[in-house]
Amino acid sequence: MALENEDYQLDMNNIPKHIAFIMDGNRTWARAHHKPKYFGHHEGTKAIRRVALEANKLGVKAMTVYAFSTENFKREANEVNYIFKLPEEFFSKYIKELIDNNVQILTIGHLELAPESTQKIIKRAIDDTKNNTGLKLVFAFIYGGRDEIVYATKRIAQEVKENKLAIDDINEEVFESHLMTANLPPVDLMIRSSGEVRLSNFLLWQLSYAEFIFDDTLWPDFDENVLHRDIYIYQQRSRRFGGGK
């Protein structure tokens, strides 16, 4: 879908508090530009920076990006190893700018399964931005939605076993408080780039009442204008959460 440079008039009183992104299309972008597929991931990091800084300016409270899924280990080893090196590239270039813009870095998933060098880089970025109060930029890294639900269930079961929680006290709020996203606002908007129409095991609990936009734009081409357009589309919808108007 071709984009025009339009000035989308956004309602600043209706900005989604939490936007989740499935950053799809990096490899397709690379093929289209006759580049190695890894180069698409490299260009995709630039889109993360652009979108995060603009989301922060708009007043978005949290932005979660699907950086590496639990299933991505099935990809070729060279590609997996390259992706694990991207955090160093990303933060070495952009951490000062993110700090200057009051962005806080967080992760969900199983960072402990990443190479130690990757863990150190991400943990350093988290520590360097821990006092920032602007946008929470959350990297879903070695993350899977089903895995997260099992993770929360195990935590609750352990508390029941230790008599810290009664079974009759378990409800949706209690379950949600044991998820990896417990300290984040509910997801208002999920955007998947490249035109693919599926969730791919991403934030399965959190997306129950989120608005979905499946955008044809390849992730490396995602910019401020595309973000404005998708937020504008979001603002035209009526969110009823199962109730009437």
Side-chain angles (χ1 to χ4, degrees), residues 214-227:
F214 296 97
D215 196 303
D216 290 342
T217 307
L218 300 178
W219 180 250
D221 291 328
F222 214 99
D223 60 14
E224 299 87 345
N225 190 56
V226 183
L227 177 65

Side-chain angles (χ1 to χ4, degrees), residues 7-110:
D7 182 16
Y8 296 98
Q9 298 299 313
L10 299 181
D11 177 359
M12 299 307 293
N13 294 314
N14 188 22
I15 298 295
K17 291 181 175 63
H18 187 172
I19 306 177
F21 289 91
I22 300 178
M23 306 180 293
D24 204 4
N26 291 330
R27 294 187 293 181
T28 301
W29 185 94
R31 286 195 298 270
H33 289 78
H34 308 291
K35 300 283 188 180
K37 60 186 174 183
Y38 312 119
F39 194 75
H41 296 302
H42 164 80
E43 291 297 303
T45 63
K46 298 178 182 179
I48 295 174
R49 170 196 166 271
R50 286 194 300 268
V51 175
L53 292 177
E54 186 63 19
N56 189 44
K57 289 178 184 177
L58 292 172
V60 176
K61 303 301 181 186
M63 170 178 159
T64 299
V65 295
Y66 205 5
F68 192 90
S69 77
T70 50
E71 291 75 33
N72 285 157
F73 282 110
K74 299 175 184 177
R75 294 186 178 185
E76 294 179 6
N78 287 341
E79 183 178 3
V80 172
N81 292 335
Y82 182 83
I83 292 173
F84 281 148
K85 293 177 182 178
L86 285 176
E88 180 176 9
E89 176 184 323
F90 181 82
F91 290 121
S92 64
K93 286 183 179 179
Y94 304 130
I95 191 64
K96 184 180 185 303
E97 186 177 26
L98 294 170
I99 291 172
D100 290 345
N101 282 274
N102 200 29
V103 173
Q104 182 182 22
I105 302 299
L106 297 169
T107 62
I108 58 173
H110 294 285

